[in-house]
Amino acid sequence: MEKLIIIKYGELTTKKDNINYFIKTLNDNVKKTLSSFDVSINYDKGRMYIECSEEYFDNIITKLKRIFGIHEIMIGYKFNERNIDSIGNNTVKLLKETTFDTFKVITKRSDKTYELDSMEISRKIGGYILKNIDNVKVDVHNPEKEIFIELRKDAVYIYFEKIKGIGGYPVGTLGKGILMLSGGIDSPVAGFLAMKRGVKIEGVYFESPPHTSENAKNKVIELANILSEYNSSMKLHVINFTKIQEEIYKNIPHEYLITIMRRMMYRITEMIARKNNAHAIINGESIGQVASQTLTSMTVINEVIKTPVIRPVACFDKLEIIDIAKNIDTYETSILPYEDCCTIFVPDHPVINPEHDKCVEYEKLINYEELIYEAVKNHEIIKITNENKYQDLL
Ligand code: ATP
Ligand code: MG
């Protein structure tokens, strides 16, 4: 008998044509995430099996709970003997280590050549249990103990509990996007939601030293670090935005500061996307949250680029976004009080309905193409692997 971790895939099983690609990507992500553990990972079309020393189980399950594409996680037992008497004896042996009053046996038979069907196996194993364990009864509606038996070609797997996985599609199966990652609450949540749909993300962060501090940057790195646990690793592109912001501040009417600044951010992010083979931009804009997020503002800002912009939290209330941020562990970092480049140059009265023609006219007042080119050429890339964190857990 071997004790092991069994993974059941999520939504990916509905993608019939791509199933192998989905499962292989999930397997790659699991391998990468567990690279610091001594594990053996095998998979077939229905399940993934992780074998390792039992002392790592808790840590590994904590990691698996953050991998998209996993529907359920089970701690189970593998037996090579597949005849019905052995299954019965082994089930009873395992059950004798626990106490319960009522039970139900649920069998899944993926090996259709086996001599008994699922119902017959469940009935027979139920019989074994009733005969060998005192004072227990079958309850098919509300059993205290559920006994799952999976009959596969190579072996029989038995388990009693299922841990809920995070669901979604394996990260990377639906391409790559660039996440505009500020230190706020919204953008990490937006990144998380995009990853959930299978989009691998790289972050872009605009800093304005000395107006923004090293602490503000470290906060964004920490957020990227947390997000990388869902993404298996992550690149963060850091753009020095100081010159561009100062030029805008000096030359452009202040009610348009934010609009023009965001048009510049979009242009730069699109350049980063193209350079890195990403097909979408993801950000934390939410309709109506601030002046730059009215529908007219978003239109005038969006028009400078062609790459699709995905705004996963566009229609969420702030409280709904906060709930997700708390669940994914980014909230506590997001509320650290460090300044963002957007907040420093905020005018008293930002325009709520900016006009296209005015943006074009004002942008002629600065030599933005050269500034953008310089900023992209000299940008810093931070690779976040999260490996140090894994070591800490061991
Ligand atoms: P967040 O939206 O992350 O909580 P925020 O609300 O302070 O922070 P906004 O000013 O609302 O940020 O900006 C909207 C979106 O623009 C952010 O969600 C983020 O995607 C992007 N953004 C803003 N500032 C930056 C920055 N300094 N670097 C990268 N992206 C940024
Ligand atoms: Mg916001």
Side-chain angles (χ1 to χ4, degrees), residues 16-51:
K16 286 219 166 52
D17 296 340
N18 292 330
I19 191 160
N20 291 333
Y21 174 60
F22 272 59
I23 297 172
K24 189 181 170 311
T25 306
L26 178 61
N27 181 56
D28 289 347
N29 292 348
V30 170
K31 258 196 197 153
K32 225 188 214 173
T33 303
L34 301 183
S35 60
S36 60
F37 296 91
D38 185 12
V39 290
S40 134
I41 304 170
N42 294 295
Y43 66 96
D44 58 29
K45 282 210 160 137
R47 301 279 184 271
M48 192 174 295
Y49 305 96
I50 300 175
E51 290 168 61

PDB file of all heavy atoms in Angstrom, residues 16-51:
ATOM      1  N   LYS A  16     -12.493  19.169 -25.045  1.00  0.00           N
ATOM      2  CA  LYS A  16     -12.170  17.863 -25.627  1.00  0.00           C
ATOM      3  C   LYS A  16     -10.931  17.838 -26.538  1.00  0.00           C
ATOM      4  O   LYS A  16     -10.054  17.000 -26.377  1.00  0.00           O
ATOM      5  CB  LYS A  16     -13.381  17.334 -26.404  1.00  0.00           C
ATOM      6  CG  LYS A  16     -14.470  16.849 -25.469  1.00  0.00           C
ATOM      7  CD  LYS A  16     -15.132  15.592 -25.980  1.00  0.00           C
ATOM      8  CE  LYS A  16     -15.966  14.926 -24.915  1.00  0.00           C
ATOM      9  NZ  LYS A  16     -16.941  15.814 -24.262  1.00  0.00           N
ATOM     10  N   ASP A  17     -10.860  18.809 -27.471  1.00  0.00           N
ATOM     11  CA  ASP A  17      -9.752  18.761 -28.432  1.00  0.00           C
ATOM     12  C   ASP A  17      -8.397  19.028 -27.782  1.00  0.00           C
ATOM     13  O   ASP A  17      -7.380  18.522 -28.210  1.00  0.00           O
ATOM     14  CB  ASP A  17      -9.972  19.799 -29.540  1.00  0.00           C
ATOM     15  CG  ASP A  17     -11.212  19.442 -30.323  1.00  0.00           C
ATOM     16  OD1 ASP A  17     -11.622  18.280 -30.250  1.00  0.00           O
ATOM     17  OD2 ASP A  17     -11.776  20.342 -30.984  1.00  0.00           O
ATOM     18  N   ASN A  18      -8.424  19.866 -26.756  1.00  0.00           N
ATOM     19  CA  ASN A  18      -7.154  20.305 -26.179  1.00  0.00           C
ATOM     20  C   ASN A  18      -6.778  19.569 -24.928  1.00  0.00           C
ATOM     21  O   ASN A  18      -5.858  19.963 -24.235  1.00  0.00           O
ATOM     22  CB  ASN A  18      -7.261  21.791 -25.804  1.00  0.00           C
ATOM     23  CG  ASN A  18      -7.370  22.643 -27.031  1.00  0.00           C
ATOM     24  OD1 ASN A  18      -6.834  22.274 -28.062  1.00  0.00           O
ATOM     25  ND2 ASN A  18      -8.054  23.755 -26.914  1.00  0.00           N
ATOM     26  N   ILE A  19      -7.476  18.500 -24.637  1.00  0.00           N
ATOM     27  CA  ILE A  19      -7.337  17.908 -23.302  1.00  0.00           C
ATOM     28  C   ILE A  19      -5.893  17.556 -22.948  1.00  0.00           C
ATOM     29  O   ILE A  19      -5.435  17.849 -21.847  1.00  0.00           O
ATOM     30  CB  ILE A  19      -8.304  16.710 -23.136  1.00  0.00           C
ATOM     31  CG1 ILE A  19      -8.342  16.277 -21.688  1.00  0.00           C
ATOM     32  CG2 ILE A  19      -7.948  15.548 -24.022  1.00  0.00           C
ATOM     33  CD1 ILE A  19      -9.565  15.476 -21.342  1.00  0.00           C
ATOM     34  N   ASN A  20      -5.169  16.998 -23.914  1.00  0.00           N
ATOM     35  CA  ASN A  20      -3.788  16.610 -23.601  1.00  0.00           C
ATOM     36  C   ASN A  20      -2.921  17.814 -23.279  1.00  0.00           C
ATOM     37  O   ASN A  20      -2.118  17.784 -22.355  1.00  0.00           O
ATOM     38  CB  ASN A  20      -3.167  15.825 -24.761  1.00  0.00           C
ATOM     39  CG  ASN A  20      -3.822  14.470 -24.880  1.00  0.00           C
ATOM     40  OD1 ASN A  20      -4.325  13.937 -23.883  1.00  0.00           O
ATOM     41  ND2 ASN A  20      -3.833  13.926 -26.080  1.00  0.00           N
ATOM     42  N   TYR A  21      -3.118  18.866 -24.044  1.00  0.00           N
ATOM     43  CA  TYR A  21      -2.354  20.088 -23.818  1.00  0.00           C
ATOM     44  C   TYR A  21      -2.675  20.680 -22.436  1.00  0.00           C
ATOM     45  O   TYR A  21      -1.787  21.116 -21.700  1.00  0.00           O
ATOM     46  CB  TYR A  21      -2.688  21.088 -24.925  1.00  0.00           C
ATOM     47  CG  TYR A  21      -2.085  22.451 -24.741  1.00  0.00           C
ATOM     48  CD1 TYR A  21      -0.704  22.602 -24.679  1.00  0.00           C
ATOM     49  CD2 TYR A  21      -2.898  23.579 -24.627  1.00  0.00           C
ATOM     50  CE1 TYR A  21      -0.142  23.849 -24.502  1.00  0.00           C
ATOM     51  CE2 TYR A  21      -2.347  24.827 -24.459  1.00  0.00           C
ATOM     52  CZ  TYR A  21      -0.963  24.962 -24.389  1.00  0.00           C
ATOM     53  OH  TYR A  21      -0.423  26.195 -24.214  1.00  0.00           O
ATOM     54  N   PHE A  22      -3.963  20.668 -22.097  1.00  0.00           N
ATOM     55  CA  PHE A  22      -4.370  21.201 -20.795  1.00  0.00           C
ATOM     56  C   PHE A  22      -3.737  20.407 -19.661  1.00  0.00           C
ATOM     57  O   PHE A  22      -3.197  20.966 -18.715  1.00  0.00           O
ATOM     58  CB  PHE A  22      -5.901  21.167 -20.667  1.00  0.00           C
ATOM     59  CG  PHE A  22      -6.549  22.403 -21.196  1.00  0.00           C
ATOM     60  CD1 PHE A  22      -6.383  22.788 -22.516  1.00  0.00           C
ATOM     61  CD2 PHE A  22      -7.325  23.200 -20.376  1.00  0.00           C
ATOM     62  CE1 PHE A  22      -6.971  23.934 -23.010  1.00  0.00           C
ATOM     63  CE2 PHE A  22      -7.922  24.351 -20.861  1.00  0.00           C
ATOM     64  CZ  PHE A  22      -7.742  24.717 -22.183  1.00  0.00           C
ATOM     65  N   ILE A  23      -3.797  19.095 -19.775  1.00  0.00           N
ATOM     66  CA  ILE A  23      -3.281  18.260 -18.687  1.00  0.00           C
ATOM     67  C   ILE A  23      -1.763  18.364 -18.600  1.00  0.00           C
ATOM     68  O   ILE A  23      -1.194  18.440 -17.523  1.00  0.00           O
ATOM     69  CB  ILE A  23      -3.728  16.791 -18.858  1.00  0.00           C
ATOM     70  CG1 ILE A  23      -5.254  16.718 -18.783  1.00  0.00           C
ATOM     71  CG2 ILE A  23      -3.110  15.904 -17.796  1.00  0.00           C
ATOM     72  CD1 ILE A  23      -5.818  15.362 -19.132  1.00  0.00           C
ATOM     73  N   LYS A  24      -1.117  18.434 -19.743  1.00  0.00           N
ATOM     74  CA  LYS A  24       0.348  18.534 -19.728  1.00  0.00           C
ATOM     75  C   LYS A  24       0.770  19.875 -19.099  1.00  0.00           C
ATOM     76  O   LYS A  24       1.724  19.937 -18.316  1.00  0.00           O
ATOM     77  CB  LYS A  24       0.894  18.412 -21.150  1.00  0.00           C
ATOM     78  CG  LYS A  24       2.386  18.298 -21.109  1.00  0.00           C
ATOM     79  CD  LYS A  24       3.047  18.193 -22.449  1.00  0.00           C
ATOM     80  CE  LYS A  24       4.560  18.321 -22.292  1.00  0.00           C
ATOM     81  NZ  LYS A  24       4.992  19.457 -21.471  1.00  0.00           N
ATOM     82  N   THR A  25       0.055  20.939 -19.437  1.00  0.00           N
ATOM     83  CA  THR A  25       0.400  22.239 -18.853  1.00  0.00           C
ATOM     84  C   THR A  25       0.184  22.210 -17.343  1.00  0.00           C
ATOM     85  O   THR A  25       1.009  22.715 -16.576  1.00  0.00           O
ATOM     86  CB  THR A  25      -0.468  23.358 -19.489  1.00  0.00           C
ATOM     87  OG1 THR A  25      -0.329  23.278 -20.896  1.00  0.00           O
ATOM     88  CG2 THR A  25      -0.042  24.734 -19.001  1.00  0.00           C
ATOM     89  N   LEU A  26      -0.908  21.599 -16.921  1.00  0.00           N
ATOM     90  CA  LEU A  26      -1.160  21.496 -15.483  1.00  0.00           C
ATOM     91  C   LEU A  26      -0.024  20.714 -14.822  1.00  0.00           C
ATOM     92  O   LEU A  26       0.494  21.112 -13.772  1.00  0.00           O
ATOM     93  CB  LEU A  26      -2.511  20.806 -15.228  1.00  0.00           C
ATOM     94  CG  LEU A  26      -2.861  20.597 -13.755  1.00  0.00           C
ATOM     95  CD1 LEU A  26      -2.959  21.914 -13.012  1.00  0.00           C
ATOM     96  CD2 LEU A  26      -4.180  19.833 -13.612  1.00  0.00           C
ATOM     97  N   ASN A  27       0.373  19.629 -15.456  1.00  0.00           N
ATOM     98  CA  ASN A  27       1.458  18.824 -14.904  1.00  0.00           C
ATOM     99  C   ASN A  27       2.748  19.652 -14.808  1.00  0.00           C
ATOM    100  O   ASN A  27       3.448  19.618 -13.793  1.00  0.00           O
ATOM    101  CB  ASN A  27       1.665  17.594 -15.790  1.00  0.00           C
ATOM    102  CG  ASN A  27       2.762  16.699 -15.267  1.00  0.00           C
ATOM    103  OD1 ASN A  27       2.719  16.263 -14.130  1.00  0.00           O
ATOM    104  ND2 ASN A  27       3.758  16.444 -16.078  1.00  0.00           N
ATOM    105  N   ASP A  28       3.035  20.438 -15.848  1.00  0.00           N
ATOM    106  CA  ASP A  28       4.234  21.300 -15.809  1.00  0.00           C
ATOM    107  C   ASP A  28       4.142  22.296 -14.655  1.00  0.00           C
ATOM    108  O   ASP A  28       5.115  22.536 -13.949  1.00  0.00           O
ATOM    109  CB  ASP A  28       4.375  22.093 -17.118  1.00  0.00           C
ATOM    110  CG  ASP A  28       4.766  21.198 -18.287  1.00  0.00           C
ATOM    111  OD1 ASP A  28       5.171  20.043 -18.037  1.00  0.00           O
ATOM    112  OD2 ASP A  28       4.639  21.651 -19.442  1.00  0.00           O
ATOM    113  N   ASN A  29       2.961  22.880 -14.481  1.00  0.00           N
ATOM    114  CA  ASN A  29       2.797  23.871 -13.408  1.00  0.00           C
ATOM    115  C   ASN A  29       2.959  23.236 -12.034  1.00  0.00           C
ATOM    116  O   ASN A  29       3.565  23.819 -11.134  1.00  0.00           O
ATOM    117  CB  ASN A  29       1.413  24.554 -13.513  1.00  0.00           C
ATOM    118  CG  ASN A  29       1.303  25.432 -14.758  1.00  0.00           C
ATOM    119  OD1 ASN A  29       2.301  25.706 -15.414  1.00  0.00           O
ATOM    120  ND2 ASN A  29       0.090  25.861 -15.082  1.00  0.00           N
ATOM    121  N   VAL A  30       2.397  22.038 -11.879  1.00  0.00           N
ATOM    122  CA  VAL A  30       2.521  21.346 -10.586  1.00  0.00           C
ATOM    123  C   VAL A  30       3.993  21.028 -10.336  1.00  0.00           C
ATOM    124  O   VAL A  30       4.526  21.275  -9.250  1.00  0.00           O
ATOM    125  CB  VAL A  30       1.662  20.053 -10.572  1.00  0.00           C
ATOM    126  CG1 VAL A  30       1.973  19.201  -9.354  1.00  0.00           C
ATOM    127  CG2 VAL A  30       0.168  20.409 -10.596  1.00  0.00           C
ATOM    128  N   LYS A  31       4.679  20.522 -11.362  1.00  0.00           N
ATOM    129  CA  LYS A  31       6.105  20.176 -11.219  1.00  0.00           C
ATOM    130  C   LYS A  31       6.925  21.386 -10.800  1.00  0.00           C
ATOM    131  O   LYS A  31       7.745  21.306  -9.903  1.00  0.00           O
ATOM    132  CB  LYS A  31       6.634  19.699 -12.579  1.00  0.00           C
ATOM    133  CG  LYS A  31       6.772  18.214 -12.690  1.00  0.00           C
ATOM    134  CD  LYS A  31       7.661  17.929 -13.898  1.00  0.00           C
ATOM    135  CE  LYS A  31       7.513  16.509 -14.330  1.00  0.00           C
ATOM    136  NZ  LYS A  31       7.784  16.342 -15.756  1.00  0.00           N
ATOM    137  N   LYS A  32       6.683  22.504 -11.477  1.00  0.00           N
ATOM    138  CA  LYS A  32       7.438  23.717 -11.186  1.00  0.00           C
ATOM    139  C   LYS A  32       7.176  24.170  -9.752  1.00  0.00           C
ATOM    140  O   LYS A  32       8.082  24.514  -9.013  1.00  0.00           O
ATOM    141  CB  LYS A  32       6.971  24.806 -12.154  1.00  0.00           C
ATOM    142  CG  LYS A  32       8.112  25.594 -12.771  1.00  0.00           C
ATOM    143  CD  LYS A  32       7.514  26.733 -13.517  1.00  0.00           C
ATOM    144  CE  LYS A  32       8.227  27.127 -14.751  1.00  0.00           C
ATOM    145  NZ  LYS A  32       7.464  28.134 -15.489  1.00  0.00           N
ATOM    146  N   THR A  33       5.909  24.151  -9.364  1.00  0.00           N
ATOM    147  CA  THR A  33       5.545  24.621  -8.028  1.00  0.00           C
ATOM    148  C   THR A  33       6.125  23.719  -6.944  1.00  0.00           C
ATOM    149  O   THR A  33       6.469  24.188  -5.866  1.00  0.00           O
ATOM    150  CB  THR A  33       4.000  24.680  -7.914  1.00  0.00           C
ATOM    151  OG1 THR A  33       3.521  25.517  -8.950  1.00  0.00           O
ATOM    152  CG2 THR A  33       3.561  25.233  -6.587  1.00  0.00           C
ATOM    153  N   LEU A  34       6.238  22.440  -7.237  1.00  0.00           N
ATOM    154  CA  LEU A  34       6.726  21.512  -6.210  1.00  0.00           C
ATOM    155  C   LEU A  34       8.204  21.169  -6.417  1.00  0.00           C
ATOM    156  O   LEU A  34       8.696  20.193  -5.857  1.00  0.00           O
ATOM    157  CB  LEU A  34       5.892  20.221  -6.234  1.00  0.00           C
ATOM    158  CG  LEU A  34       4.378  20.366  -6.006  1.00  0.00           C
ATOM    159  CD1 LEU A  34       3.714  18.997  -5.977  1.00  0.00           C
ATOM    160  CD2 LEU A  34       4.072  21.121  -4.717  1.00  0.00           C
ATOM    161  N   SER A  35       8.910  22.014  -7.194  1.00  0.00           N
ATOM    162  CA  SER A  35      10.273  21.636  -7.573  1.00  0.00           C
ATOM    163  C   SER A  35      11.212  21.487  -6.384  1.00  0.00           C
ATOM    164  O   SER A  35      12.215  20.804  -6.469  1.00  0.00           O
ATOM    165  CB  SER A  35      10.846  22.621  -8.587  1.00  0.00           C
ATOM    166  OG  SER A  35      10.865  23.891  -8.005  1.00  0.00           O
ATOM    167  N   SER A  36      10.894  22.128  -5.272  1.00  0.00           N
ATOM    168  CA  SER A  36      11.817  22.000  -4.143  1.00  0.00           C
ATOM    169  C   SER A  36      11.481  20.809  -3.231  1.00  0.00           C
ATOM    170  O   SER A  36      12.142  20.590  -2.237  1.00  0.00           O
ATOM    171  CB  SER A  36      11.855  23.303  -3.350  1.00  0.00           C
ATOM    172  OG  SER A  36      10.587  23.581  -2.876  1.00  0.00           O
ATOM    173  N   PHE A  37      10.448  20.075  -3.570  1.00  0.00           N
ATOM    174  CA  PHE A  37      10.109  18.866  -2.800  1.00  0.00           C
ATOM    175  C   PHE A  37      10.597  17.639  -3.565  1.00  0.00           C
ATOM    176  O   PHE A  37      10.617  17.650  -4.803  1.00  0.00           O
ATOM    177  CB  PHE A  37       8.592  18.730  -2.622  1.00  0.00           C
ATOM    178  CG  PHE A  37       7.963  19.831  -1.815  1.00  0.00           C
ATOM    179  CD1 PHE A  37       7.480  20.973  -2.438  1.00  0.00           C
ATOM    180  CD2 PHE A  37       7.839  19.720  -0.438  1.00  0.00           C
ATOM    181  CE1 PHE A  37       6.888  21.992  -1.692  1.00  0.00           C
ATOM    182  CE2 PHE A  37       7.247  20.732   0.309  1.00  0.00           C
ATOM    183  CZ  PHE A  37       6.775  21.864  -0.320  1.00  0.00           C
ATOM    184  N   ASP A  38      10.921  16.595  -2.828  1.00  0.00           N
ATOM    185  CA  ASP A  38      11.321  15.353  -3.477  1.00  0.00           C
ATOM    186  C   ASP A  38      10.046  14.553  -3.758  1.00  0.00           C
ATOM    187  O   ASP A  38       9.548  13.844  -2.903  1.00  0.00           O
ATOM    188  CB  ASP A  38      12.260  14.611  -2.519  1.00  0.00           C
ATOM    189  CG  ASP A  38      12.827  13.375  -3.163  1.00  0.00           C
ATOM    190  OD1 ASP A  38      12.684  13.235  -4.393  1.00  0.00           O
ATOM    191  OD2 ASP A  38      13.392  12.548  -2.426  1.00  0.00           O
ATOM    192  N   VAL A  39       9.503  14.707  -4.977  1.00  0.00           N
ATOM    193  CA  VAL A  39       8.220  14.069  -5.297  1.00  0.00           C
ATOM    194  C   VAL A  39       8.296  13.316  -6.622  1.00  0.00           C
ATOM    195  O   VAL A  39       9.118  13.622  -7.472  1.00  0.00           O
ATOM    196  CB  VAL A  39       7.063  15.097  -5.447  1.00  0.00           C
ATOM    197  CG1 VAL A  39       6.676  15.708  -4.138  1.00  0.00           C
ATOM    198  CG2 VAL A  39       7.396  16.172  -6.470  1.00  0.00           C
ATOM    199  N   SER A  40       7.404  12.342  -6.764  1.00  0.00           N
ATOM    200  CA  SER A  40       7.261  11.723  -8.075  1.00  0.00           C
ATOM    201  C   SER A  40       5.836  12.012  -8.541  1.00  0.00           C
ATOM    202  O   SER A  40       4.861  11.811  -7.807  1.00  0.00           O
ATOM    203  CB  SER A  40       7.562  10.233  -7.931  1.00  0.00           C
ATOM    204  OG  SER A  40       6.603   9.482  -8.587  1.00  0.00           O
ATOM    205  N   ILE A  41       5.725  12.536  -9.760  1.00  0.00           N
ATOM    206  CA  ILE A  41       4.407  12.954 -10.261  1.00  0.00           C
ATOM    207  C   ILE A  41       4.070  12.155 -11.517  1.00  0.00           C
ATOM    208  O   ILE A  41       4.861  12.116 -12.457  1.00  0.00           O
ATOM    209  CB  ILE A  41       4.400  14.466 -10.589  1.00  0.00           C
ATOM    210  CG1 ILE A  41       4.818  15.277  -9.350  1.00  0.00           C
ATOM    211  CG2 ILE A  41       3.030  14.916 -11.084  1.00  0.00           C
ATOM    212  CD1 ILE A  41       5.068  16.746  -9.643  1.00  0.00           C
ATOM    213  N   ASN A  42       2.930  11.518 -11.507  1.00  0.00           N
ATOM    214  CA  ASN A  42       2.460  10.791 -12.702  1.00  0.00           C
ATOM    215  C   ASN A  42       1.052  11.254 -13.024  1.00  0.00           C
ATOM    216  O   ASN A  42       0.331  11.707 -12.134  1.00  0.00           O
ATOM    217  CB  ASN A  42       2.415   9.288 -12.418  1.00  0.00           C
ATOM    218  CG  ASN A  42       3.808   8.768 -12.195  1.00  0.00           C
ATOM    219  OD1 ASN A  42       4.622   8.781 -13.106  1.00  0.00           O
ATOM    220  ND2 ASN A  42       4.092   8.346 -10.969  1.00  0.00           N
ATOM    221  N   TYR A  43       0.668  11.119 -14.298  1.00  0.00           N
ATOM    222  CA  TYR A  43      -0.699  11.508 -14.621  1.00  0.00           C
ATOM    223  C   TYR A  43      -1.236  10.709 -15.787  1.00  0.00           C
ATOM    224  O   TYR A  43      -0.495  10.170 -16.601  1.00  0.00           O
ATOM    225  CB  TYR A  43      -0.779  13.012 -14.922  1.00  0.00           C
ATOM    226  CG  TYR A  43      -0.055  13.465 -16.158  1.00  0.00           C
ATOM    227  CD1 TYR A  43      -0.738  13.621 -17.365  1.00  0.00           C
ATOM    228  CD2 TYR A  43       1.299  13.754 -16.119  1.00  0.00           C
ATOM    229  CE1 TYR A  43      -0.067  14.052 -18.509  1.00  0.00           C
ATOM    230  CE2 TYR A  43       1.972  14.181 -17.248  1.00  0.00           C
ATOM    231  CZ  TYR A  43       1.288  14.329 -18.439  1.00  0.00           C
ATOM    232  OH  TYR A  43       1.947  14.759 -19.564  1.00  0.00           O
ATOM    233  N   ASP A  44      -2.577  10.627 -15.816  1.00  0.00           N
ATOM    234  CA  ASP A  44      -3.236  10.065 -16.985  1.00  0.00           C
ATOM    235  C   ASP A  44      -4.385  11.006 -17.341  1.00  0.00           C
ATOM    236  O   ASP A  44      -4.459  12.123 -16.831  1.00  0.00           O
ATOM    237  CB  ASP A  44      -3.691   8.618 -16.720  1.00  0.00           C
ATOM    238  CG  ASP A  44      -4.641   8.523 -15.531  1.00  0.00           C
ATOM    239  OD1 ASP A  44      -5.362   9.509 -15.265  1.00  0.00           O
ATOM    240  OD2 ASP A  44      -4.681   7.474 -14.865  1.00  0.00           O
ATOM    241  N   LYS A  45      -5.283  10.569 -18.187  1.00  0.00           N
ATOM    242  CA  LYS A  45      -6.348  11.475 -18.643  1.00  0.00           C
ATOM    243  C   LYS A  45      -7.292  11.900 -17.535  1.00  0.00           C
ATOM    244  O   LYS A  45      -7.985  12.915 -17.631  1.00  0.00           O
ATOM    245  CB  LYS A  45      -7.142  10.809 -19.765  1.00  0.00           C
ATOM    246  CG  LYS A  45      -6.386  10.883 -21.063  1.00  0.00           C
ATOM    247  CD  LYS A  45      -7.323  10.923 -22.248  1.00  0.00           C
ATOM    248  CE  LYS A  45      -6.587  11.470 -23.438  1.00  0.00           C
ATOM    249  NZ  LYS A  45      -6.781  10.815 -24.674  1.00  0.00           N
ATOM    250  N   GLY A  46      -7.372  11.092 -16.468  1.00  0.00           N
ATOM    251  CA  GLY A  46      -8.356  11.397 -15.440  1.00  0.00           C
ATOM    252  C   GLY A  46      -7.800  11.967 -14.152  1.00  0.00           C
ATOM    253  O   GLY A  46      -8.473  12.739 -13.456  1.00  0.00           O
ATOM    254  N   ARG A  47      -6.581  11.611 -13.808  1.00  0.00           N
ATOM    255  CA  ARG A  47      -6.032  11.971 -12.504  1.00  0.00           C
ATOM    256  C   ARG A  47      -4.541  12.240 -12.573  1.00  0.00           C
ATOM    257  O   ARG A  47      -3.855  11.751 -13.476  1.00  0.00           O
ATOM    258  CB  ARG A  47      -6.215  10.799 -11.506  1.00  0.00           C
ATOM    259  CG  ARG A  47      -7.641  10.358 -11.261  1.00  0.00           C
ATOM    260  CD  ARG A  47      -8.328  11.261 -10.263  1.00  0.00           C
ATOM    261  NE  ARG A  47      -9.666  10.784  -9.961  1.00  0.00           N
ATOM    262  CZ  ARG A  47     -10.762  11.121 -10.643  1.00  0.00           C
ATOM    263  NH1 ARG A  47     -10.682  11.946 -11.671  1.00  0.00           N
ATOM    264  NH2 ARG A  47     -11.942  10.660 -10.290  1.00  0.00           N
ATOM    265  N   MET A  48      -4.067  12.968 -11.553  1.00  0.00           N
ATOM    266  CA  MET A  48      -2.629  13.122 -11.369  1.00  0.00           C
ATOM    267  C   MET A  48      -2.302  12.543  -9.996  1.00  0.00           C
ATOM    268  O   MET A  48      -3.104  12.691  -9.057  1.00  0.00           O
ATOM    269  CB  MET A  48      -2.271  14.603 -11.432  1.00  0.00           C
ATOM    270  CG  MET A  48      -0.785  14.868 -11.543  1.00  0.00           C
ATOM    271  SD  MET A  48      -0.468  16.628 -11.784  1.00  0.00           S
ATOM    272  CE  MET A  48      -1.200  16.916 -13.382  1.00  0.00           C
ATOM    273  N   TYR A  49      -1.160  11.882  -9.894  1.00  0.00           N
ATOM    274  CA  TYR A  49      -0.790  11.220  -8.636  1.00  0.00           C
ATOM    275  C   TYR A  49       0.550  11.758  -8.161  1.00  0.00           C
ATOM    276  O   TYR A  49       1.513  11.787  -8.925  1.00  0.00           O
ATOM    277  CB  TYR A  49      -0.679   9.706  -8.857  1.00  0.00           C
ATOM    278  CG  TYR A  49      -1.941   9.112  -9.442  1.00  0.00           C
ATOM    279  CD1 TYR A  49      -2.062   8.909 -10.814  1.00  0.00           C
ATOM    280  CD2 TYR A  49      -3.019   8.783  -8.625  1.00  0.00           C
ATOM    281  CE1 TYR A  49      -3.228   8.385 -11.369  1.00  0.00           C
ATOM    282  CE2 TYR A  49      -4.184   8.261  -9.166  1.00  0.00           C
ATOM    283  CZ  TYR A  49      -4.288   8.065 -10.538  1.00  0.00           C
ATOM    284  OH  TYR A  49      -5.435   7.551 -11.072  1.00  0.00           O
ATOM    285  N   ILE A  50       0.596  12.168  -6.905  1.00  0.00           N
ATOM    286  CA  ILE A  50       1.837  12.704  -6.357  1.00  0.00           C
ATOM    287  C   ILE A  50       2.284  11.814  -5.211  1.00  0.00           C
ATOM    288  O   ILE A  50       1.567  11.658  -4.215  1.00  0.00           O
ATOM    289  CB  ILE A  50       1.639  14.149  -5.853  1.00  0.00           C
ATOM    290  CG1 ILE A  50       1.184  15.023  -7.024  1.00  0.00           C
ATOM    291  CG2 ILE A  50       2.917  14.697  -5.220  1.00  0.00           C
ATOM    292  CD1 ILE A  50       0.839  16.426  -6.637  1.00  0.00           C
ATOM    293  N   GLU A  51       3.459  11.236  -5.375  1.00  0.00           N
ATOM    294  CA  GLU A  51       3.982  10.383  -4.310  1.00  0.00           C
ATOM    295  C   GLU A  51       5.182  11.059  -3.676  1.00  0.00           C
ATOM    296  O   GLU A  51       6.055  11.573  -4.385  1.00  0.00           O
ATOM    297  CB  GLU A  51       4.374   9.023  -4.877  1.00  0.00           C
ATOM    298  CG  GLU A  51       3.130   8.222  -5.285  1.00  0.00           C
ATOM    299  CD  GLU A  51       3.481   7.002  -6.118  1.00  0.00           C
ATOM    300  OE1 GLU A  51       4.198   6.145  -5.605  1.00  0.00           O
ATOM    301  OE2 GLU A  51       3.027   6.952  -7.272  1.00  0.00           O
TER     302      GLU A  51
END
